[in-house]
Amino acid sequence: MQPGSQGVKLTNFLKLLIAGCINAFGVTIFLFPVKLYDSGVSGLSMLLDQITPSYLTLSVFLFVINVPIFLYGAKRMGKSFTIYSIFAIMVYALVSFLIMDVLPIDVSFVSPLAGTDLLLCAIFGGVISGLGSGLTIRFGGAIDGIDVLSVLFAKRVGLSLGSFVMVFNLILYTVCGIILRSWILPLYSIVTYYVGANTVDFVVEGFDRAKCAMIVTNKADEISEAIKNNFRATGTIVNAKGGYSKEDKQIVYIIINHFEIYKLKRLVHDIDETAFIALQEVTDILINQEIAGK
């Protein structure tokens, strides 16, 4: 199934409306007034607003650049994802227009809330715009075309999705520095990008990430029974074979929280000193609610 192909939910539009408003607030109140740049197409739109005629505004570029990108990637990303994303972009563009051109808020030279303090603007602009972007992703869409471009082209150029976005932003900030003939604002924009990216991760993945423990052992039954007596789970036992020794082994697979890691290590090694434990972060645990409720 393609991403976003499960159908459109009307309740998500209200959530995306809030997300788009948050994103627009962070960009127009903290970043745009002091000429700091957001990441991706949003940052490119801010630069184009500054170097083109006055009637070509941020809102115009947000719409005319992003929408074609999402339409181009619609087949790959899915119908609902595309609809959600275009709606979020329209909200972002409209609210940005209202704040900068309609409402009695002066964002011409300084941030209404942080003044000319570039560090405050970079941090709060990154956090708030990252919150809006993260909520948009959480509700089934995206608010910047760079996300679609990374999915479509990252592998073709031999980059991961994150590396593709990073390279795009570094090129963008370099161009900004050359045009402005100053590196202060582009360097602060990198702070905005870093803060925003981490905020998106926290919003999408959560603050309390679970851990997946894979225990390779010859005493899977004993370990599984001990886990049952000490945790609210028994784990899943998977048959395996040693790559070097060719001996039959078993893997106990269990999801725990980070407070339980030390306890699990002691419990496992008390039973099997030679057991091998691999830990990985888990951002989502999806279960069938109907089956789980039986």
Side-chain angles (χ1 to χ4, degrees):
M1 181 180 291
Q2 294 174 329
S5 62
Q6 67 272 25
V8 174
K9 297 180 179 179
L10 294 179
T11 55
N12 275 17
F13 287 106
L14 177 59
K15 299 173 183 177
L16 291 168
L17 174 65
I18 296 171
C21 290
I22 292 173
N23 199 90
F25 181 83
V27 169
T28 58
I29 297 299
F30 290 99
L31 302 181
F32 190 87
V34 294
K35 292 182 172 57
L36 292 180
Y37 301 97
D38 199 7
S39 65
V41 174
S42 181
L44 175 61
S45 299
M46 296 169 73
L47 175 64
L48 292 174
D49 174 279
Q50 295 173 5
I51 63 176
T52 56
S54 58
Y55 60 86
L56 295 174
T57 63
L58 170 64
S59 300
V60 171
F61 287 115
L62 287 173
F63 188 81
V64 300
I65 298 177
N66 275 308
V67 172
I69 292 174
F70 280 102
L71 292 176
Y72 177 73
K75 184 176 181 180
R76 173 73 180 275
M77 305 304 295
K79 180 181 177 181
S80 62
F81 174 88
T82 303
I83 294 174
Y84 286 151
S85 300
I86 292 177
F87 176 79
I89 291 165
M90 291 174 63
V91 172
Y92 176 18
L94 177 60
V95 175
S96 296
F97 169 74
L98 292 175
I99 291 174
M100 294 191 297
D101 298 305
V102 178
L103 298 177
I105 302 174
D106 187 3
V107 293
S108 302
F109 302 102
V110 298
S111 166
L113 298 180
T116 57
D117 191 318
L118 294 179
L119 184 58
L120 281 179
C121 289
I123 292 174
F124 281 94
V127 168
I128 296 173
S129 64
L131 175 61
S133 298
L135 289 174
T136 305
I137 294 172
R138 203 173 173 90
F139 300 144
I143 207 164
D144 196 289
I146 190 62
D147 299 315
V148 175
L149 292 177
S150 65
V151 172
L152 296 177
F153 298 110
K155 288 186 178 180
R156 298 185 188 182
V157 296
L159 295 173
S160 66
L161 301 185
S163 297
F164 183 92
V165 175
M166 182 183 69
V167 170
F168 179 94
N169 287 324
L170 290 178
I171 293 173
L172 171 63
Y173 298 146
T174 300
V175 172
C176 292
I178 294 172
I179 292 175
L180 297 174
R181 297 182 181 179
S182 171
W183 296 102
I184 295 177
L185 296 176
L187 288 174
Y188 272 109
S189 297
I190 294 176
V191 175
T192 298
Y193 165 54
Y194 176 80
V195 173
N198 279 277
T199 302
V200 170
D201 288 342
F202 280 127
V203 172
V204 175
E205 299 175 1
F207 290 90
D208 185 19
R209 302 179 186 179
K211 294 285 185 179
C212 155
M214 298 180 65
I215 308 164
V216 183
T217 178
N218 292 318
K219 301 179 179 180
D221 291 333
E222 295 177 46
I223 290 175
S224 181
E225 184 64 25
I227 290 173
K228 178 181 177 181
N229 294 331
N230 288 272
F231 299 90
R232 294 183 179 180
T234 57
T236 300
I237 299 177
V238 181
N239 292 323
K241 178 179 288 189
Y244 176 76
S245 65
K246 305 302 179 184
E247 295 180 357
D248 290 334
K249 293 183 177 293
Q250 291 179 307
I251 298 174
V252 180
Y253 183 99
I254 184 173
I255 304 296
I256 58 175
N257 63 53
H258 62 277
F259 298 109
E260 298 171 321
I261 294 174
Y262 179 72
K263 180 179 178 181
L264 179 69
K265 288 180 179 178
R266 290 193 59 182
L267 183 149
V268 170
H269 287 143
D270 283 346
I271 298 172
D272 183 0
E273 294 181 350
T274 64
F276 176 82
I277 305 175
L279 296 173
Q280 292 180 307
E281 284 192 346
V282 177
T283 57
D284 281 299
I285 303 172
L286 307 177
I287 62 173
N288 187 316
Q289 297 294 340
E290 294 181 358
I291 295 177
K294 292 181 179 179

